[in-house]
Amino acid sequence: MRVVIVTESFPPDVNGVAHCALQTARHLVRRGHRPLVIAPAVPDPAADADAPCPVVRVPSLPLPGYAQVRVALPSRRVAAAIAAHRADLVHLAGPFVLGVRAMAAATRLRVPAVAVYQTDLAGYARTYVGTGENTAWRRLRAVHGAADRTLAPSRAARRDLEAHGIE
C-alpha cells in the first residue's frame, strides 16, 4: 500500500508528533508498505538522511517566539507529492496547517484520509497565545470532519473531540 504521511513535525524535531510520524513510517516500511512523508522544511538539508522512506519537505517558517517549531507555508508540493506517489491512503498526523492542504488534496484526488488527533492545539492557543481556541477548534472540525476516519490516542482525547463536535 502507498501511504502518504503528512505531518506538521518530523525529525530532526523532537516532540510527540515527530516521533509518532517517524514510528508510523518505520512500521509501514517493516510491513512492506511504501510510505512517503510530507513535512515542513528544516534548516539542515541532511535531516532526512536516516529517514526510513522518502521525505518531501515544503517551505516553512519558524513560529514567532518559538523558533524551533516550523510552520509549513501553503504549497502546491503537497498535492503534487500525493499524486506522484499514487497514494492509496493519506495519513494526517496532527493536522492543522499542512494537514489542511493535504486533506483538500486528498479530497480532490479521491484518496481516503485518516486524521490523528494527537495534539491539543486549541489548548496550546489558549495557554501560549491567550486567544484563538475557538478558531483552532473550527479548523480541527473542518479537517477531521473531511477525513474518512479520525483516530484518537486515548479516551480523554476522544472525549475532547466529541465535546467539540468531532466524531
Side-chain angles (χ1 to χ4, degrees):
M1 180 180 286
R2 295 173 176 270
V3 179
V4 175
I5 301 166
V6 182
T7 179
E8 309 289 339
S9 183
F10 195 70
D13 297 347
V14 179
N15 60 51
V17 172
H19 178 75
C20 288
L22 176 61
Q23 294 308 317
T24 299
R26 285 180 175 158
H27 175 79
L28 289 169
V29 167
R30 280 193 308 269
R31 299 287 303 239
H33 299 291
R34 304 225 13 227
L36 169 76
V37 171
I38 301 175
V42 293
D44 180 6
D48 301 322
D50 294 328
C53 64
V55 179
V56 172
R57 295 286 183 167
V58 298
S60 68
L61 292 173
L63 184 65
Y66 199 21
Q68 55 273 48
V69 173
R70 309 236 5 132
V71 178
L73 299 172
S75 173
R76 294 181 186 176
R77 283 188 197 168
V78 174
I82 293 169
H85 192 62
R86 297 188 336 259
D88 297 307
L89 178 72
V90 173
H91 175 99
L92 306 169
F96 195 69
V97 176
L98 193 54
V100 169
R101 298 283 298 191
M103 187 65 247
T107 300
R108 266 193 325 277
L109 295 167
R110 296 183 181 182
V111 177
V114 173
V116 183
Y117 176 76
Q118 57 194 41
T119 304
D120 181 9
L121 294 167
Y124 279 118
R126 179 183 61 246
T127 303
Y128 297 109
V129 181
T131 186
E133 183 176 6
N134 290 333
T135 301
W137 276 114
R138 276 194 303 278
R139 189 170 198 112
L140 288 167
R141 270 192 298 278
V143 174
H144 287 275
D148 294 278
R149 179 83 49 175
T150 288
L151 304 177
S154 67
R155 286 188 202 103
R158 182 176 174 187
R159 282 192 301 271
D160 206 15
L161 289 169
E162 290 170 346
H164 289 90
I166 302 169
E167 296 189 28

